[in-house]
Amino acid sequence: MSQTESPALRTKWERWLLAALTVGTLVIGAWGNWLYDQDHDHEHSPNPWSVLYHAAQFLQLHGAHLHEPVPWQLQVGRGLGACTLFTLGVIAYLQFFRQEVLRLAWQRGRVVICGLGDLGMRLAADARQQGKFVVAIEKQKSATITKFVREHKIQVIDGDARDAETLTRAGLDRSESLFVACTDDATNEAIATLVGGMIPQGSRPDSPLICRLLVRDPEMLRRLEQRQVSEWGASAAGPRPDYRVQFHDLDLHDTAARQAMRNFPLDFEPIRASDETRVHVVIVGFGPMGKALALHAARIGHFANGTPARKTRITVVNANAKAAVVEFKNRYSKIDEFCELSGHDLDHSSSSFTTEFKGLLEPGGPDELQTVVFCGESAATVNNRDNLRFGLEFVSLTDPGRRQLLTYQSTRTGLAAQLPTDKSSRRLHPFGMVEDLQSWSVLLHESEDRIARAIHEKYVKHHGGDSWEALSEDFKESNRHAADHVPVKLRALGYHDAQLEPGAPRIEHFSDHEKLLMAKMEHERWCAERWLGGWKFGSETNKKLKISKDLVPWERLLPEEEQKDFEQIKALPEILRAIGRGIYR
């Protein structure tokens, strides 16, 4: 099967091929028998039923023994009968012994997936589209899963992925990727720990096994990130070269927040250095999605006119918003340095919610760009109906002005299908749908990593360091955040990036003033990312301990460190051009 051909289509073509061979055998075989009887039996006319019966016998590799020369039509009919029987046998063998055949299939690009829930099945289907050999471990096979694995030609091992023998049967030692996406976080953590013990130290120095771990609980995710997990690969001596565990690849809330701010930027009207404009993000609901949005807004909300008086405002609206914000600030103690975060206690189920919430939005003023996000959740379930209802209600009640409204929806096929898809409109837009998140290219950052990787490679060229493949996930994320902020910098100058347009005038160089402005913006963004990522200031930089001497205001930055920011800004046209994009006015 080709990398783009779907398994369902292949099954359809198998049926059509079998039907065509059968019909061809009967038609051409009957034609040949008719001609043979007509040539060698001059006393009787050929009997149609007898002719058809003898043609049907070709499908069993059986036919009458003929002494006289036979016409070519009869020979072709015999051959088609043999092909039909052989094809039928191959298809039947593959159906009944599919697992055994898959065990002997090609081993390149082997991917093991633990858990065939919604996410696991989407990843498996995308991996097959990528031409990967997929092995899934599932202990509770349903009719839906059985149909899915048969259509997508996936090998399934019945068993518990927490069992070492089951993982060995899956061919873990020959795999390039492991996705742990079971329904329970504790189960996923146990699997990752077990695999870490199964991979011998130094066994895969050139091709480490990448374990992408699904952790649904944001608090557990934070704890896993902060602690040193020596049995998984992160130790005081640095990451193991043979086994790596990555948390963020399957962090759907983080991915949804990043997508939302890329598709619907906070500076949806360009903010120039001389502008009085201030960005205000209003987040209704402060579950995992609301917290991910607040964190991304604090990271990316650094604009050309940045001053302490124009810091990005983030207002959380929830029944217990003030207490939730205090807890959030305790977790990210430096967040007040980069944004103005506050909570407004307001229960969405109260009769006065609409009036009070509208009053909260109106004082924004002409110099405020508002992004209002309805992202209510309950028990890890998206409140699709409430989020859409509030969004539609405020579209009709408020003057859009300098305001965009977003609503968190779980799927495109539900209520979100009623909303406009035109991103140029600032009325109401859905985000966070599984169709946009749960795919191979999105979760593995294949598209966004093009810029992030190019930024890193340019840095390595001038200053040395690890290759992209050898880079720890923490520093890959840092480059991704830098890539996220590139459009913000360009909009500050009245530019944007787009696919290369032959003949269209492009920006190939920045003025000294433009380079200085963007370098300052980049340093402020980098400081926010580092502080929010748990880094600390110190007299000497120690990456393993998350200490940096460069976490200071731009005015106190050493000249050689300023130069690194200038180099990155200067190289932006070249970096974008290398991936087929250009900068335009």
Side-chain angles (χ1 to χ4, degrees), residues 494-531:
Y495 304 149
H496 73 283
D497 71 297
Q499 293 292 331
L500 286 175
E501 303 174 17
R506 298 194 305 269
I507 303 299
E508 297 290 355
H509 305 283
F510 300 118
S511 68
D512 290 343
H513 171 73
E514 290 173 332
K515 284 186 284 189
L516 176 60
L517 175 63
M518 289 195 288
K520 288 181 177 180
M521 292 173 67
E522 171 57 22
H523 181 67
E524 184 179 357
R525 179 214 62 80
W526 179 85
C527 286
E529 172 218 312
R530 282 290 189 257
W531 283 116

Side-chain angles (χ1 to χ4, degrees), residues 431-475:
F431 77 98
M433 290 75 72
V434 294
E435 294 88 347
D436 295 337
L437 301 179
Q438 296 182 4
S439 69
W440 185 273
S441 62
V442 172
L443 292 176
L444 272 63
H445 311 285
E446 288 186 349
S447 55
E448 68 185 76
D449 275 359
R450 296 173 65 206
I451 297 180
R453 184 171 186 152
I455 290 173
H456 176 70
E457 289 174 348
K458 180 62 67 173
Y459 178 89
V460 170
K461 182 177 179 181
H462 287 92
H463 303 283
D466 293 332
S467 67
W468 179 262
E469 289 75 16
L471 207 58
S472 70
E473 193 60 20
D474 179 50
F475 288 103

Side-chain angles (χ1 to χ4, degrees), residues 332-487:
Y332 302 101
S333 58
K334 291 287 184 177
I335 195 167
D336 279 332
E337 296 188 14
F338 306 103
C339 66
E340 184 183 303
L341 177 62
S342 62
H344 189 92
D345 290 346
L346 184 56
D347 189 348
H348 72 271
S349 62
S350 68
S351 58
S352 60
F353 176 81
T354 301
T355 303
E356 289 189 47
F357 186 67
K358 183 179 178 182
L360 181 68
L361 297 183
E362 290 307 325
D367 294 326
E368 185 170 279
L369 291 182
Q370 286 186 358
T371 296
V372 183
V373 191
F374 300 94
C375 55
E377 300 170 89
S378 59
T381 302
V382 183
N383 292 340
N384 290 313
R385 185 171 297 278
D386 285 348
N387 292 340
L388 182 59
R389 178 168 61 85
F390 292 138
L392 293 173
E393 195 171 316
F394 283 97
V395 161
S396 61
L397 287 178
T398 62
D399 178 10
R402 304 178 79 185
R403 178 183 299 136
Q404 60 180 352
L405 304 177
L406 309 181
T407 176
Y408 183 25
Q409 298 289 300
S410 61
T411 176
R412 273 197 188 283
T413 58
L415 298 171
Q418 309 301 317
L419 298 178
T421 58
D422 180 16
K423 294 178 183 178
S424 64
S425 168
R426 296 191 198 126
R427 300 300 288 172
L428 180 64
H429 302 284
F431 77 98
M433 290 75 72
V434 294
E435 294 88 347
D436 295 337
L437 301 179
Q438 296 182 4
S439 69
W440 185 273
S441 62
V442 172
L443 292 176
L444 272 63
H445 311 285
E446 288 186 349
S447 55
E448 68 185 76
D449 275 359
R450 296 173 65 206
I451 297 180
R453 184 171 186 152
I455 290 173
H456 176 70
E457 289 174 348
K458 180 62 67 173
Y459 178 89
V460 170
K461 182 177 179 181
H462 287 92
H463 303 283
D466 293 332
S467 67
W468 179 262
E469 289 75 16
L471 207 58
S472 70
E473 193 60 20
D474 179 50
F475 288 103
K476 284 184 178 179
E477 274 293 295
S478 180
N479 283 289
R480 288 169 187 143
H481 291 310
D484 287 340
H485 202 252
V486 167

Side-chain angles (χ1 to χ4, degrees), residues 539-555:
S539 57
E540 295 295 331
T541 296
N542 187 321
K543 294 181 179 179
K544 293 179 182 177
L545 298 179
K546 290 190 171 183
I547 297 174
S548 176
K549 62 181 176 59
D550 301 320
L551 287 171
V552 294
W554 175 264
E555 293 74 19

